[in-house]
Amino acid sequence: MKEKIYLSSPHMGGTEEKYVGEAFKTNWIAPLGPNVSSFEESLENYLSSGSYVAALSSGTAAIHLALILLNVERGDEVLCQSLTFSASANPILYMGATPIFVDSEPETWNLCPNHLEAAIKDRLAKGKKPKAIVAVHLYGMPYQVEAIEAISKKYDIPVIEDSAEALGSSYKNQKCGTFGAISILSFNGNKIITTSGGGALVSRKQEHKTKAIFLATQARDEAPHYQHSQIGYNYRLSNVCAGIGRGQMEVLDTHVNLRRNMNQFYQKLFASESLIQVFDEPSTDFYSNHWLSCIKFTENNTTKNSDGLREAFLADNIESRPLWKPMHLQPIFKDALFYGDGTSESLFKNGLCLPSGSNLTDSDRTRIQTIVVNYLNA
Ligand SMILES: *Cc1c(COP(=O)(O)O)cnc(C)c1O
């Protein structure tokens, strides 16, 4: 069997072990410590001055805390992009709130401003104002930031910016992770940088950071004994994992460039294929980290399609994956409301995520190219 080519695998820069070693040498093997503070500081500097970062155990935990900080309560409705990973939506259920799913638009594959506004108007007409909007920069592609923010402002509904896949992306030269009322990041093993597992809540308000850290460390009141007047969580990032994050921050921009080069590779590979479109920025306002490079087959292709190509890759031990299956089609959310026109369903049916790691080699690219050429010309 040939060596496996992964969709997106961890890529160490070299200094991660040094910082992890420091945690051991100084015995900071705890969910706090110097690596946690340094990692937060380095993210704050990277994103923009005025960003406040709380390092957490996962991106999912960050979304959960964001909903709490925005006062979402049992029975509230929360609007959420349907085409996304389930972690964008599950925390809505943790809160006992109700997710309402909204379709994508074809340019960024993200939250469609028209369907979002239609959904809000309809909920208002039914006497229920949604409490928050979860918007996602899918595969690193920024959503229509200005259009979404205009709607958020018009109806006074805060946006949770799910930037789990978009560290290093930007919209009109402003970094993803700095939009919305609260933003979240993920450092899971397959993301643009990793801490093996981890995430962060990002806000423009110091008080959000303070409150997030308070809730993430069991909501201990100030007292010599253990006293609690609120529900707490165990969501803080460990100082060992934060050491990996510190090292990863040193190579973040390099790795973004390598992922963007992978995207260029696919643009060239599929340039003359009328059947296939490589997912790309709709204009220079958008700058994607191209966390994953994706393609879309034209609708109603009978002979060549995303499943066929995926199986051809699999036979050569190359991993590729369908796009995220929209949440409104998931068994867990089968009773949820959905506002849309079928765009995300069509993307799911015809799309495919391709190997995109920053650590892919020339020989990996040759193998990928061979499979593509053979499949399309067979
Ligand atoms: C990975 C991911 C998350 C969750 O992050 P974890 O750190 O894995 O909990 C949330 N939203 C999106 C869009 C993601 O891709």
Side-chain angles (χ1 to χ4, degrees):
M1 197 65 164
K2 285 190 194 158
E3 207 176 313
K4 181 161 178 172
I5 297 178
Y6 289 94
L7 203 63
S8 176
S9 68
H11 184 189
M12 293 300 106
T15 58
E16 292 84 359
E17 275 188 288
K18 176 184 84 179
Y19 296 119
V20 171
E22 276 174 21
F24 277 79
K25 272 195 226 102
T26 55
N27 205 30
W28 276 106
I29 315 293
L32 79 165
N35 279 338
V36 174
S37 315
S38 291
F39 182 43
E40 286 175 340
E41 205 175 295
S42 127
L43 284 162
E44 284 166 353
N45 291 334
Y46 183 82
L47 289 171
S48 74
S49 59
S51 293
Y52 296 94
V53 174
L56 302 171
S57 54
S58 71
T60 312
I63 297 176
H64 190 190
L65 294 184
L67 292 165
I68 296 172
L69 292 177
L70 295 174
N71 301 313
V72 171
E73 288 172 8
R74 186 165 291 279
D76 281 342
E77 293 182 349
V78 176
L79 296 156
C80 182
Q81 182 166 324
S82 187
L83 186 66
T84 186
F85 180 44
S86 64
S88 302
N90 278 331
I92 300 169
L93 298 185
Y94 305 167
M95 302 300 297
T98 306
I100 297 195
F101 294 109
V102 178
D103 215 343
S104 293
E105 42 83 13
E107 295 218 304
T108 70
W109 298 7
N110 292 314
L111 201 54
C112 170
N114 297 335
H115 290 304
L116 176 66
E117 184 158 24
I120 294 172
K121 281 184 172 159
D122 191 55
R123 301 322 297 157
L124 289 173
K126 300 202 159 76
K128 193 121 191 173
K129 181 175 166 178
K131 265 302 196 43
I133 300 164
V134 180
V136 189
H137 306 297
L138 222 51
Y139 306 118
M141 183 66 70
Y143 55 74
Q144 308 267 4
V145 171
E146 278 172 319
I148 301 296
E149 294 206 330
I151 293 169
S152 160
K153 216 183 223 156
K154 180 171 172 189
Y155 294 94
D156 190 28
I157 305 173
V159 170
I160 295 174
E161 183 202 18
D162 182 342
S163 202
E165 302 174 1
L167 183 59
S169 299
S170 52
Y171 177 79
K172 291 198 171 172
N173 290 320
Q174 189 181 329
K175 289 253 159 55
C176 291
T178 65
F179 299 109
I182 296 179
S183 313
I184 74 98
L185 302 170
S186 168
F187 316 116
N188 205 339
N190 59 352
K191 297 288 158 70
I192 193 99
I193 64 164
T194 184
T195 59
S196 86
L201 183 143
V202 187
S203 172
R204 271 54 68 195
K205 292 184 181 166
Q206 164 83 59
E207 72 209 64
H208 278 158
K209 173 176 177 172
T210 308
K211 186 80 192 282
I213 292 173
F214 169 76
L215 293 171
T217 50
Q218 308 287 19
R220 279 182 64 187
D221 294 338
E222 233 165 297
H225 55 278
Y226 280 83
Q227 173 154 313
H228 310 273
S229 35
Q230 279 182 72
I231 300 176
Y233 301 86
N234 185 3
Y235 279 171
R236 197 72 162 123
L237 185 67
S238 111
N239 194 55
V240 178
C241 294
I244 306 174
R246 278 181 82 181
Q248 291 271 278
M249 284 306 288
E250 294 172 8
V251 291
L252 171 56
D253 278 334
T254 308
H255 288 189
V256 167
N257 283 329
L258 289 166
R259 297 231 180 205
R260 287 178 56 83
N261 290 348
M262 274 312 291
N263 191 263
Q264 281 300 313
F265 162 76
Y266 288 118
Q267 302 279 2
K268 280 198 202 108
L269 181 55
F270 292 107
S272 58
E273 282 301 331
S274 56
L275 285 181
I276 291 166
Q277 205 190 323
V278 179
F279 183 36
D280 197 9
E281 288 103 334
S283 79
T284 51
D285 288 346
F286 298 80
Y287 181 88
S288 172
N289 65 13
H290 287 301
W291 169 60
L292 293 187
S293 282
C294 307
I295 54 170
K296 185 170 73 96
F297 283 73
T298 50
E299 191 79 49
N300 301 325
N301 246 298
T302 43
T303 49
K304 308 287 175 193
N305 53 45
S306 56
D307 252 356
L309 181 55
R310 188 177 55 76
E311 275 163 23
F313 276 134
L314 195 61
D316 200 55
N317 208 20
I318 298 173
E319 184 183 27
S320 66
R321 280 234 190 123
L323 305 192
W324 301 122
K325 181 174 179 176
M327 290 303 112
H328 71 281
L329 303 178
Q330 298 284 358
I332 176 89
F333 295 118
K334 66 182 190 312
D335 298 325
L337 286 171
F338 170 68
Y339 292 84
D341 60 15
T343 299
S344 59
E345 279 182 59
S346 161
L347 285 167
F348 173 60
K349 190 167 139 239
N350 300 299
L352 192 67
C353 303
L354 304 176
S356 306
S358 44
N359 48 4
L360 294 178
T361 62
D362 281 342
S363 93
D364 293 336
R365 278 181 283 274
T366 303
R367 271 176 64 193
I368 292 166
Q369 178 156 4
T370 305
I371 298 299
V372 167
V373 170
N374 289 346
Y375 177 71
L376 293 175
N377 297 324

